[in-house]
Every structure is written in structure tokens, then in C-alpha cells.
Amino acid sequence: MNRSDASLKVTGTAPYAVDVALAGMLHAKVLRSPHAHALVAHIDTAAAEQAPGVRAVLTRRDLLDGEHRGRWASADLQHRPSDAPLVAAHSYGYFIKDQPILALERVRCIGDPVVAIAAETELDAARALSLVHVTYEPLPAVTNFDEALADGASEIFPEAPLGMTPAYGQGASGGARPRPNVCYRFGYETGDPAAFEGCDHVFTDVFAFDGRQQHLHLEPFVAVARWSAQVTGDDSRLELWSSCQNPFPVRKEMARLLGIGEQRVRMHVGYLGGGFGAKNGCKTEPIAALLALKAGAPVRYCLTLDEGFWTMRQHNARLTLRTGVMADGTLVARDAEVLLDAGAYADASPLVAEKAGYRVAGPYRWQHIRSVTDAVLTNTTPAGPFRGFGGTQANFACESQIDMIAARLGMDPVELRRRNLIGLGESYVPGESAMDSDLIEGLDLVASHIGMDGPRPVGRGRGVAVGFKDSGGVNKPAQARVKVATSGDAWVQCGTVEMGQGAQTALREVAARVLGVSRERVHWSDIDTDHTPFDQGTNASSAISVMGQAVQKAAEAARLRVLQFSATALDVPVEQVDFRDGFVIVTPPDGSGEPERRPLAPLVMGFYGGTGYEFTGEGFFKAPTDHRAPLESPCVSWEYGWGAAEVSVDAETGAVTVHRLVVSGDAGAVLHEGACRGQDEGAAIMGLGGALFETMRFDGPDLTNGRLVDYRVPRASDLPAEFVSITQEQGHGPGPFGSKGLGEGAMLPIASAIANAVADATGARVTSMPLTPETVLAALDETRGGQ
């Protein structure tokens, strides 16, 4: 069964935001800061404004009013014209509104946008940027945890930006700016801390997650903006074509920035050429919209792939785990302190801090858990949502320490996990939802396949790990609409974005099964916030477990309307009517005889006339709010990835070779085999790159591999000789037909499984990643030196 989007994508005709071209469209380019931290003393755009092809120049002058202007002493701001600013608010963000559309009084990282220009061509815009002169007054930069948290450190935000704290349930807490250079702190605690006192052993280990993976979506960040009028007014509207994962939240944020009603912002989202979390929230939209407003013409703002390195990255982390156990391997208590490097702006770091802190205990039974996670600001590229959303950091530390504890106790690492894993149907923590997969079943599957109980080839080691994350988002609402036409064909309307994960195929399949038609007869409606039902965003593997339930309910409602209409038209009880493949099936009242097949179209035409009709069903799903749940809403579903690796290590260079890699996820119920397998395999290879080499490398504030040509990603030659993915169907998912989300879980166990295999092969424990040859060789030298 082919994917719904296969033909369009294979033939190159699939529409993406990067392909949008409007009549009279201008092109935008941005001047970026060369400094990691500096005051912006003066901006001179006079020459640029007169350059050929230039139609609009955007600076902080357009974002600030007189009240703000009085805060700075720079001469150009003192002599700024008194025209009203183009915006009602100049900064955006999730919980914390700290990221300015363009630099205001200071820049906070290399690559921070300072001036934007719209011109007739990209070349014209780029040439005009070279005529802009900016005077900076450099400030001390903080580029790592120690610098940022040191007493007297340079503050990235001397004044607290606008922010909010969400509601939390039992055991959880959070707050913005608990100390300088910490934008958010999340805490969680359950059980009695005295549990440590009864432990036979207490182990403390520190793990460095130095991976700053770049999302590297092949379609760059892009937005095209068009206003319906050249000047703002009650009748003007902003229309945006965007490569974003959450069009409705972006619509809301754009309306807030512009000081207009949400009904005056219209978002179009087609296919996305990859996202992996980066395309959540505003990126290119504010600059495109303001330049279009100022120029009185449509504007396309498309970043290069290299500019993506200055825009968003994964969080690096430092995790300290203090774990109490009994001599027989029973896990008792865990304290965790987690530092996440948020970069220059908060973005989604508060949410990532929540997830890392909430997941760091792993899928194990504990008498006591306590975690504190700080999102630390540094003068580096902002960090944000990334596939696994805090789970990659938490799982690397958790699953590495589980193996370390097993070695210290002289236990088999698989048996230690089997003894402590939370069982199917057991709650993760008090007030939380129950596990919806059998974790031991999945662990035994990959352990058996890799041969954990068998002899190792000479020089090789094997390791396993269990990846784990909550799935479906927190308190996430989703709406859907399904329409059935006179012909029996159907349309699905919902806000889920197709970005390569196969959501369009899966959701069409859900509607098709409910309606009793082939998937080819179910069509997909493009996302247009004026007409598409609301959805919070495509993230957290929520397409099936959350939106899938909304689509299922909508299809059921549409089918019921078809049945009720048909029963009325045929003057029979609705219980005697069925609907399949465009035909109304009428069963004789006594059950005898053959059912009668009546095409729907003549029935509709007979009742409504030649104009036909559509039967519409609406569906809605949201996990219930529950103050007993730590995150105020029980987890919709749980996503797991079981991984196992066999490796060898070059003792002279420290180079790690992964010979065999086994990965498995639980789809609950498979709706499309190829899509499920592709999600697990893609996630695993992304995890392999992060485990061994893939990271943005900083020398202080300077990004040394911030170009596509310099950034190392997995190649075909990096694939293990044996790479196996196994899609489980355990059948316990909350989604349609027992399904649940895939796409992130299989990434989570890879780094720790490889690190565990390295330790098995060499006796050297690597507690930082990526496991580069230099890192591994240092661990080997330490082990050899201690012998």
C-alpha cells in the first residue's frame, strides 16, 4: 500500500512553502551580528535604502515606541522619527517572550538578526546589506554552564523579560528566572527522600550530553507574507504561507505581535520538507510580515540551510544522577540535577526542561524520585524542540547508569532492567497514566536478536537500552472534520502537518476504515487556518494518538449522518442500514434474503435535487485536565524505543564501529507498515549520528562547523553491516484501533546502547557523547592507566 503523498513527492510536484511565488513578490535577506554579546550602539541604513531594487528596510526603529526609546542613549534612537512602531510587541517566544524580531539594545549570539531588507531579488537584498553599517560595543560572553552560572557572570538579560509559568499538578513545580542566566527551572518530586537511607548502595555519576545536533531539515525555514491592504486598518488581513509545524499557535503569536485579532491572520501550510521540532513557533514569519507591511508588496523570506545553524539547535546537557539501590539490584531512589544549554533565548527550553526532568527517572519503579532541571542561557545559537524533546539527554544518562550499576553489582544488565521495569498497566508516577506497552516484551525481543546471552566475537561488545518518553503532548486539544460527498468520496480536514512522517496516509486510513471505503476515496484538505479545524501543533508524536482520535470521531459522526439520512430516505430503521464503498446496504428486517445495495448518489439526488449534498462530522479529543497529574493532564500515550548494538573499538585510535544495530518500537496497531518502519529507522539513524559524531561545535562563542559542507551527518557508509528494525503491534495504544505514535522513541536508546556496548567490549565507560574517537580514547587511556 503506497503512501498518500508518494506520487507527488517522487515526481517532484508536491507543494512546499519554499515553492510559493506571488505576483510582485519581493525577497528578504537579513544582516546578522558578528558578535556573541554586544550593545548595538548605532545602525546606519541610509545607503542601503537607496540601493537598487530595495523596497523596504526594517530595523529596531520599526519595533520601538517612545517609551522604549528612552531606555537607550544611542544617538540614532534619540533622533528617531516619532512614527508609531509597526508592532504592538517586539519579542516572541513560548512561555517567555524574550526573542526580539530584530536586535533592540543588544545582540546575544553570533547570527542574531539586526537589519532586514526586502528587495526585488535576493541578490539586490544581499548587496544592500553590505551597505549597512552597525556600531557595536562588545560585552563579555558566556558560552558554557560554568561561565553562565559563575558569580558575577555577564547577564544575558539584565531585566527579566515577559514570561509565565504553566499550572502543575502534584509533585511538579516550575518558574521563570530563578537566578541570573537561568530562563526556567522545572522540579519534580515524589516519595520519601528517606528512602536513600535504607539503600545498600548509593551511586553518583555525571554525564555530559555534548550533542548539539542540527535539525538539518532539507526544506529551510521560509515564509511568504502578503497583506490585503497596504496600510493597517480594520479591513486589512495578513496572509502567510509558512513551513511551520504549528500554524494555529503561530497565527496567535503573529496576531499578538501585530496587535490585531487572530481572525486577521490567515496561515497556509502545505507539505514540510522535514521539521524534527525546529519548525515549531515563529521563525521567519515576523520579519516577512513586517517587510511586506512596510513595502506594500508580498515578501518571501527564505533562510539558507547554513542560516539554519544560527537559528535553532538541540540542547546540550550536563546530568548528575544520584541513585540508591539494593544489593539484589532493586532500584529504590533517584535524585537528578539537569542543566540544559538553552542558548541565547528561551524558545521552548521551559518545555524541554519539563520533559527532561520528568523523564530522567526512566521507565523504572522507584520509591523516591527528585529532579531539578535548569535551562541555562548562553551566548550561543538558541536551542529548542528536537526529536525526542529532552528524552535523548535523559535517556543517555539514565540507561548508561543502569548498566554501570549492573556492572558494580555484578549483575546482568538485561536482568537488572527486567527486575525494575514498570509493568503494562502500571502508572509511571502517582497521578499519571499507565504504561501502554509491555516493556519487558520489547526488551527481550531486542536482547534476543542481538544475542545478549551468547558469546561475543573477539574484540566485540554488546549493549542494550530502553528509550522512553511521554507522547501526545500535554493538555493538547485537537479537532477534525470529515465530509462525505454524494459520490461516497470523503475529505479529511485537520491541522496535522505532513512533514514526511506519514500522518496524511495514516489519518486517511483511519477515516477510510470507519467509513468503510478504500483509502483512495478519502482525500486530504490543505491546511488553511480560515477553514481547517483547530489543532495545537504537529509535535510529540501526537498525530495518531491525539488527532487520530479526533479524526475517528469525526468519521464516525459523518457515517452516522449518512446512515440516518439513508434510513429516512428508504423509510427503514437505521439499524437495518450500513454504508460501504459508496453504497447503502439495507438488510431485510427478518434477516433473511440478500442485503440490498443502493448507491448513495441517487438517494441524495432524489432528496436534495441535482445540487447534491455533503454529510459532515466533527470530532474533538483532549486528555482530561486532572490536578493529580504532575503536568496537569495525564499522558495520552507512552512511546518506547528498544535498542541493542554490537560494536568494536580500535584500541589505538578510539574509533567505534557499530557492526549490528537492532531497534524496535511499538505502534500499538500498524496503520501503514512502511511509514512505521521508516519512522523507527529514520529515528535510529538520527540517533546513530548523534551518538558517534553529529554535533554543532563551538570554540567559545564561535561555531566552527556552521556550514552544511562542514557539518558531519550519517552517510550510507556509516550504516551498520546489520541494521534491523522490528515494528511491534502490542495493541494497547489509545489511538484508533489500538494504535499509538511512533517517530521519536527509536532515537532515544541508541547512544546509551552503543556506550554500553563499548563498555562491554573494552571495560571503558564513556560518560559523554558523542562517542568520538578522542572521547573514547581518553576513556580507554583512563581504564588502562587504572589497571
Side-chain angles (χ1 to χ4, degrees), residues 140-360:
V142 294
T143 60
N144 57 50
F145 295 125
D146 295 331
E147 291 176 356
L149 299 178
D151 292 339
S154 177
E155 290 192 44
I156 297 177
F157 285 91
E159 298 181 20
L162 176 68
M164 56 83 70
T165 300
Y168 290 110
Q170 66 173 320
S173 62
R177 199 178 169 90
R179 58 176 295 188
N181 289 336
V182 174
C183 64
Y184 198 81
R185 172 175 292 167
F186 173 79
Y188 178 69
E189 185 168 5
T190 185
D192 187 352
F196 275 105
E197 298 173 7
C199 295
D200 293 327
H201 305 279
V202 176
F203 301 110
T204 300
D205 299 290
V206 180
F207 300 89
F209 185 96
D210 291 328
R212 296 178 178 93
Q213 280 186 266
Q214 167 58 216
H215 300 74
L216 216 65
H217 35 76
L218 292 182
E219 181 196 26
F221 295 108
V222 60
V224 177
R226 177 175 65 187
W227 287 85
S228 61
Q230 294 186 12
V231 295
T232 57
D234 292 341
D235 60 343
S236 65
R237 297 193 72 203
L238 170 64
E239 199 167 7
L240 278 165
W241 289 260
S242 170
S243 63
C244 72
Q245 295 178 226
N246 53 348
F248 286 93
V250 169
R251 179 186 70 175
K252 181 178 181 179
E253 190 72 334
M254 289 300 301
R256 185 188 69 85
L257 290 170
L258 295 163
I260 61 178
E262 290 183 45
Q263 78 281 1
R264 290 172 58 190
V265 180
R266 182 180 184 181
M267 299 283 300
H268 301 274
V269 176
Y271 290 117
L272 257 66
F276 311 113
K279 292 181 180 177
N280 281 289
C282 291
K283 296 295 185 297
T284 51
E285 296 84 4
I287 286 176
L290 294 183
L291 283 172
L293 179 61
K294 196 168 184 181
V299 170
R300 176 181 186 265
Y301 178 32
C302 182
L303 303 192
T304 65
L305 287 178
D306 288 354
E307 285 181 295
F309 285 85
W310 295 326
T311 305
M312 185 60 49
R313 62 169 173 84
Q314 185 187 34
H315 292 78
N316 52 302
R318 181 189 299 166
L319 306 97
T320 303
L321 304 187
R322 177 172 171 259
T323 302
V325 302
M326 303 307 292
D328 65 356
T330 302
L331 301 178
V332 177
R334 169 165 285 172
D335 272 358
E337 294 184 0
V338 181
L339 299 178
L340 295 174
D341 183 349
Y345 300 104
D347 198 82
S349 289
L351 295 171
V352 178
E354 279 184 10
K355 296 306 185 181
Y358 197 49
R359 298 165 178 169
V360 73

Side-chain angles (χ1 to χ4, degrees), residues 496-508:
T496 294
V497 176
E498 174 58 64
M499 49 190 179
Q501 82 277 42
Q504 184 184 114
T505 302
L507 293 173
R508 286 175 63 187

Side-chain angles (χ1 to χ4, degrees), residues 461-479:
R462 294 172 185 159
V464 298
V466 180
F468 154 85
K469 68 181 288 291
D470 49 307
S471 179
V474 174
N475 208 24
K476 185 178 189 294
Q479 296 184 93

Side-chain angles (χ1 to χ4, degrees), residues 441-452 464-465 642-644 662-664:
E441 180 180 331
L443 173 64
D444 288 347
L445 178 68
V446 297
S448 173
H449 204 96
I450 204 72
M452 285 297 292
V464 298
W642 295 268
V662 181
V663 65
S664 182

